[in-house]
Amino acid sequence: MMTADNRLIKTDTGAPKRYAALTMNTPITRRTAVSAQLLLQLAAEHGLSAEPCLQGCGLHAKALDDPQLQITAAQELQLVGNLVKHLGHIPALGLCAGLRYPLSAYGIWGFALLTSPNFRAVADWVSRFMDLSYAFVQFRFTDSADGLWVTLHDEHLPPAVRRFLLERDLAACCNILRELRPGGIPIRALTLRGDAPDYADQWTRITGITPQFNAARNAARFDPADADAPLPQANPQLARMALLQCQQLLTQRRQRSGLAAEVRNRLLQTPAQIPGIDTIAADLHRSARTLRRHLQDEGTAFSTLVDEVRQTLAEELLSTANLKLEDVAQRLGYAEPASLIHAFKRWTGQTPDAWRKARLRGLDVPFPQR
């Protein structure tokens, strides 16, 4: 359930243990329970009740009916793990799950995609506000001589759920491509890591193209003409309104509560000299081991909070202060700009310079380069 200020509180005494220690690249924002509801519906159709699906999630099935409920990425990841544990033997389970996600399931983020001028702009919305979706796979966009490539990174995900989440998130994207334009936006090439499954024909049916398996990366290519073609429901005024709402919503969902908020606030006090976990733990009258355990119970980690603080401050300095990159790096405690550039590309998929120029141009944002 939610408090009046939209803070998540646990609905039972269980805590998400199995997948609580997520990597730095996993979404850190809270999310609505829509995705969890869709997954439970999939489970029910295969005869699996909500109880085993929610084991260890810290959630009750009835609580998910609350339209204001927000859950953590760790809780949804635990749900996915339970689903795969019980139903992973079903072929193409992830693909079936992804087809359940209509554009309307994403709220204002989905509306922003729908009102974008073209697919290149859609790619920007995806890059900038991916944490407003339900995806665990990371999407990175690059322009090349043969078109616009979308690379789907899943290396950071737990192996037990990696295939399911790749299938789910890619199938959900195919839904979006079909809703953006009648007839869809065609994928011209698709490469996937790993062996071809027995249900490879399902990939072809959903994506509209036969994938090349055992490839070096998961990636899809779009023709430049398709990426630049106007979308039928484009509306600049509505798109800008959606932009503002997405920014506000992302800020709200990234707000921390509980012990994580205390740690984050302490880190914000000295961004140029980030203290170690031992120092923070002593300030909070805990051992470092206890602090790690409590943060894990809240679905985060000390290193995640350090990155959050640095990313938040970096974006603020790049947006509002006319500072050289060297000065921004120094204020954030980096010994040299190269370290900041490397970290910033890991956070956003863009260099600090490209990110700053993109913000100055508003909706006209270039694609993140890798």
Side-chain angles (χ1 to χ4, degrees), residues 7-8 10 255-267 277 280-302 305:
R7 289 183 291 114
L8 177 146
K10 294 177 182 177
Q255 291 176 349
R256 292 288 189 177
S257 60
L259 182 61
E262 293 185 55
V263 173
R264 194 175 189 274
N265 290 337
R266 174 62 181 83
L267 293 172
I277 190 170
I280 297 293
D283 289 347
L284 298 175
H285 307 292
R286 291 174 169 85
S287 68
R289 181 179 179 181
T290 299
L291 179 59
R292 285 193 183 93
R293 186 175 71 252
H294 287 172
L295 289 176
Q296 179 174 324
D297 288 346
E298 293 185 10
T300 189
F302 181 76
L305 296 174

Side-chain angles (χ1 to χ4, degrees), residues 120-357:
R120 288 188 185 277
V122 168
D124 171 54
W125 285 101
V126 172
S127 299
R128 294 169 64 179
F129 299 107
M130 198 67 205
D131 281 353
L132 295 181
S133 74
Y134 307 109
F136 284 94
V137 170
Q138 294 179 336
F139 294 77
R140 295 288 183 254
F141 298 85
T142 53
D143 264 326
S144 65
D146 59 346
L148 172 64
W149 281 92
V150 184
T151 304
L152 296 84
H153 292 280
D154 61 358
E155 302 89 348
H156 58 289
L157 297 174
V161 297
R162 186 176 298 156
R163 173 56 70 98
F164 175 91
L165 289 172
L166 175 64
E167 292 183 358
R168 186 198 71 164
D169 292 350
L170 183 53
C173 286
C174 289
N175 270 357
I176 291 175
L177 294 175
R178 283 188 288 269
E179 291 194 52
L180 289 176
R181 176 185 300 149
I185 299 173
I187 299 174
R188 301 299 183 177
L190 178 62
T191 63
L192 295 169
R193 301 193 308 157
D195 297 333
D198 294 337
Y199 51 87
D201 59 316
Q202 296 296 315
W203 281 96
T204 302
R205 181 179 65 83
I206 291 170
T207 64
I209 189 170
T210 301
Q212 173 194 339
F213 289 95
N214 290 313
R217 59 174 181 161
N218 304 313
R221 181 177 64 82
F222 297 86
D223 279 353
D226 295 325
D228 294 327
L231 294 177
Q233 299 190 62
N235 188 309
Q237 290 76 25
L238 292 178
R240 290 185 181 277
M241 178 191 71
L243 168 64
L244 294 176
Q245 293 185 20
C246 282
Q247 290 172 332
Q248 294 168 358
L249 185 59
L250 190 60
T251 298
Q252 179 191 64
R253 290 188 181 178
R254 280 180 172 172
Q255 291 176 349
R256 292 288 189 177
S257 60
L259 182 61
E262 293 185 55
V263 173
R264 194 175 189 274
N265 290 337
R266 174 62 181 83
L267 293 172
L268 282 167
Q269 294 175 16
T270 55
Q273 295 180 329
I274 295 289
I277 190 170
D278 292 330
T279 301
I280 297 293
D283 289 347
L284 298 175
H285 307 292
R286 291 174 169 85
S287 68
R289 181 179 179 181
T290 299
L291 179 59
R292 285 193 183 93
R293 186 175 71 252
H294 287 172
L295 289 176
Q296 179 174 324
D297 288 346
E298 293 185 10
T300 189
F302 181 76
S303 56
T304 300
L305 296 174
V306 171
D307 260 24
E308 275 187 40
V309 167
R310 281 181 162 159
Q311 181 181 355
T312 298
L313 293 176
E315 291 180 354
E316 181 177 344
L317 291 172
L318 290 169
S319 297
T320 62
N322 188 22
L323 296 175
K324 295 181 179 179
L325 190 60
E326 292 82 357
D327 297 327
V328 175
Q330 185 178 24
R331 293 194 181 196
L332 296 177
Y334 290 102
E336 55 185 6
S339 299
L340 172 60
I341 293 172
H342 177 77
F344 202 86
K345 288 183 69 175
R346 175 164 52 85
W347 299 329
T348 68
Q350 294 177 281
T351 65
D353 184 57
W355 188 93
R356 175 149 53 184
K357 289 178 179 178

Side-chain angles (χ1 to χ4, degrees), residues 67-141:
Q68 299 300 317
L69 177 67
Q70 293 179 10
I71 66 175
T72 67
Q75 288 174 308
E76 183 172 335
L77 195 60
Q78 181 65 51
L79 193 164
V80 169
N82 294 337
L83 190 68
V84 171
K85 175 183 176 181
H86 293 284
L87 299 178
H89 60 281
I90 298 175
L93 183 68
L95 294 175
C96 294
L99 293 177
R100 293 176 168 271
Y101 290 72
L103 199 54
S104 59
Y106 302 97
I108 190 62
W109 185 77
F111 183 73
L113 302 188
L114 194 63
T115 56
S116 297
N118 52 44
F119 185 64
R120 288 188 185 277
V122 168
D124 171 54
W125 285 101
V126 172
S127 299
R128 294 169 64 179
F129 299 107
M130 198 67 205
D131 281 353
L132 295 181
S133 74
Y134 307 109
F136 284 94
V137 170
Q138 294 179 336
F139 294 77
R140 295 288 183 254
F141 298 85

